[in-house]
Amino acid sequence: MSVPDAGDDTQRRFRYQINFTALKCLQTLRDGSDVRAVYCEHVEDVLIEHVDGSLTGIQVKSRELNQKPFRSNDQAVQGSLIRFCVRDARYPGRFRQFVLATNFVFFAGDGVNDLRNVLKRCRENPSHEGCGTRDRIVAYLKLVAGAAGVPVEGVVRTLARVVLEERRTGIDQPDIEIVHALGEFPALRELPWAELAVMAKGLRAHVWEVSSLGLSGFILDVHDVVENLPQHLDRLRTARKRVDGDVLRSLIQPQSVSGELLAIAGFTTRESIPPGLGKMELKMAAGSISYADIDEMKDDVSSLDTAFLRWKEKYGLTEANKRLAHFQHFAKRAARDAEKTAERTGAPYGPAMFEALKVEAGAISQAEASTLFGCRAEHLIGAAGLLSEECRVWWDPSRTLPLTETE
């Protein structure tokens, strides 16, 4: 460990705050949440904007688990309370509450050293009725008032809205907490753990980036020069620090969804996959494929149908059709390679092509695992069956559709 230079430990504590902020940002996407946006290192460590326009200011304090709990007279605690009082006085009526958060715990006791007792007094007995002139909590409040430069009555009003948040974790644990929080969203629940970890890393990186005063790009090239440039830059920095639902959705988009998907020419968009597969069955039967194999293909198409309906429900019809086209692209390629294999073997064409298709689909599912949305080779085979129904894949060299008795 770098004992003389504590910069690495400082960065580690900043990292904890970044993780904590990222968890708060995710509240903007939760059903029923009144969090409109989160500001990173703006006015407070974390500043939450509620839908009614009110604010919650959060100070984050970290401590190793082998150290003593935070007491009200700790410099870090007093400093946070003083900041809350100053902010409340500067922006009257804007703050709904203040939060003092820690990865650790606060001291528990009967006297003034337990911060809960101080906050409880401010909420339940703001006039200190029945307290003597030497009351230690009153003395503590006067100390905070003197340091903040506000009246004691103002300190009491502010501290009455302070909430303590004890997370009882190690400094490094929130890395995993973000992954768990992402996995609680229905749209992300079925993604691989590794992909959620990548999303968490991207979210942390964004929060870390916007927590600084830096601005990206060539500011004077992309913005008009205004009369008050410092004020203009302050507005840009404030906007950059703001993380709302739209920003969050762009950051936690699944990799397979945000990447460029493949398609096939003349792709037919659809509301659902047709339940009847008569043309597919006729074509496979013409290729002398067994009843059992045809039945297996129908099951694979059904599996693809289930996936399509799930995509439609989670991401909308447009995205579901994009994914289906992506699958059909690979299925068409696999079927084309299977046709070439069947032609070379000299074995009965249909069965040889069907076996080759399964081999090709298996190879593609392994090579393209990160782009197949957690699906299997059977889903690709089902896509080939759907292409058969659309007359894009054939199972005998004649490429003609046998007439049924009714025809």
Side-chain angles (χ1 to χ4, degrees), residues 11-171:
Q11 289 289 340
R12 178 168 172 248
R13 296 176 186 277
F14 283 152
R15 187 169 181 268
Y16 175 84
Q17 180 177 316
I18 294 300
N19 283 322
F20 176 89
T21 306
L23 287 169
K24 294 299 181 184
C25 288
L26 289 175
Q27 292 182 0
T28 63
L29 299 179
R30 298 203 179 282
D31 292 338
S33 172
D34 75 336
V35 177
R36 176 184 291 162
V38 174
Y39 291 82
C40 308
E41 279 291 353
H42 181 66
V43 179
E44 298 290 357
D45 290 343
V46 185
L47 184 67
I48 293 179
E49 175 189 347
H50 300 280
V51 293
D52 63 358
S54 64
L55 304 171
T56 292
I58 305 177
Q59 283 281 306
V60 183
K61 302 301 174 185
S62 59
R63 180 162 284 185
E64 298 290 354
L65 300 183
N66 61 353
Q67 295 180 321
K68 294 181 179 180
F70 282 105
R71 294 172 176 256
S72 59
N73 60 356
D74 285 350
Q75 183 177 355
V77 172
Q78 284 188 1
S80 294
L81 299 183
I82 291 168
R83 285 176 63 91
F84 290 155
C85 294
V86 171
R87 297 289 180 259
D88 206 19
R90 182 176 180 183
Y91 306 103
R94 291 301 310 277
F95 283 92
R96 173 189 298 186
Q97 69 175 6
F98 297 92
V99 178
L100 183 56
T102 178
N103 71 296
F104 197 35
V105 295
F106 293 94
F107 172 79
D110 297 327
V112 69
N113 286 333
D114 185 343
L115 185 57
R116 297 177 193 83
N117 297 330
V118 177
L119 304 181
K120 182 178 180 181
R121 170 76 66 81
C122 293
R123 285 191 294 268
E124 299 180 2
N125 187 11
S127 60
H128 312 292
E129 293 182 9
C131 302
T133 57
R134 301 180 63 180
D135 184 85
R136 296 186 64 188
I137 291 181
V138 172
Y140 182 85
L141 295 174
K142 290 180 178 179
L143 177 65
V144 173
V150 299
V152 174
E153 294 78 8
V155 171
V156 171
R157 285 194 298 270
T158 299
L159 297 195
R161 286 174 284 132
V162 172
V163 176
L164 303 182
E165 183 173 343
E166 298 174 314
R167 299 191 57 80
R168 298 174 181 269
T169 69
I171 296 178

Side-chain angles (χ1 to χ4, degrees), residues 88-342:
D88 206 19
R90 182 176 180 183
Y91 306 103
R94 291 301 310 277
F95 283 92
R96 173 189 298 186
Q97 69 175 6
F98 297 92
V99 178
L100 183 56
T102 178
N103 71 296
F104 197 35
V105 295
F106 293 94
F107 172 79
D110 297 327
V112 69
N113 286 333
D114 185 343
L115 185 57
R116 297 177 193 83
N117 297 330
V118 177
L119 304 181
K120 182 178 180 181
R121 170 76 66 81
C122 293
R123 285 191 294 268
E124 299 180 2
N125 187 11
S127 60
H128 312 292
E129 293 182 9
C131 302
T133 57
R134 301 180 63 180
D135 184 85
R136 296 186 64 188
I137 291 181
V138 172
Y140 182 85
L141 295 174
K142 290 180 178 179
L143 177 65
V144 173
V150 299
V152 174
E153 294 78 8
V155 171
V156 171
R157 285 194 298 270
T158 299
L159 297 195
R161 286 174 284 132
V162 172
V163 176
L164 303 182
E165 183 173 343
E166 298 174 314
R167 299 191 57 80
R168 298 174 181 269
T169 69
I171 296 178
D172 304 310
Q173 189 167 334
D175 280 18
I176 300 176
E177 286 189 70
I178 297 175
V179 175
H180 291 169
L182 288 169
E184 292 176 2
F185 289 100
L188 306 177
R189 187 170 296 158
E190 296 183 14
L191 293 177
W193 195 97
E195 187 166 352
L196 293 178
V198 172
M199 288 184 191
K201 184 176 181 180
L203 175 56
R204 289 198 305 270
H206 180 81
V207 172
W208 198 306
E209 177 70 19
V210 301
S211 294
S212 73
L213 284 176
L215 286 172
S216 303
F218 299 96
I219 303 303
L220 296 183
D221 289 347
V222 298
H223 295 283
D224 293 333
V225 177
V226 295
E227 182 177 350
N228 190 335
L229 183 59
Q231 186 181 65
H232 178 61
L233 295 179
D234 284 344
R235 284 197 296 266
L236 292 177
R237 289 189 173 102
T238 301
R240 182 172 178 264
K241 289 172 175 287
R242 189 176 190 270
V243 180
D244 58 14
D246 290 338
V247 173
L248 256 293
R249 278 185 283 271
S250 68
L251 290 173
I252 66 174
Q253 187 82 300
Q255 287 184 323
S256 50
V257 177
S258 60
E260 290 295 327
L261 302 185
L262 302 173
I264 61 174
F267 172 73
T268 303
T269 59
R270 57 182 75 247
E271 289 279 346
S272 61
I273 293 177
L277 298 171
K279 292 181 180 179
M280 182 198 80
E281 291 185 69
L282 288 173
K283 291 175 185 176
M284 296 184 75
S288 300
I289 297 176
S290 70
Y291 178 87
D293 285 341
I294 295 175
D295 207 41
E296 179 183 326
M297 175 67 90
K298 291 166 68 175
D299 289 340
D300 291 339
V301 175
S302 179
S303 298
L304 180 65
D305 181 34
T306 300
F308 178 83
L309 293 176
R310 186 173 68 249
W311 300 334
K312 179 182 174 182
E313 180 182 355
K314 288 187 176 182
Y315 308 114
L317 182 60
T318 300
E319 180 62 34
N321 273 298
K322 287 181 180 179
R323 293 184 174 202
L324 182 60
H326 187 68
F327 269 66
Q328 288 189 327
H329 176 97
F330 287 121
K332 187 176 181 181
R333 179 197 299 177
R336 187 171 61 248
D337 292 340
E339 287 176 352
K340 295 177 182 177
T341 300

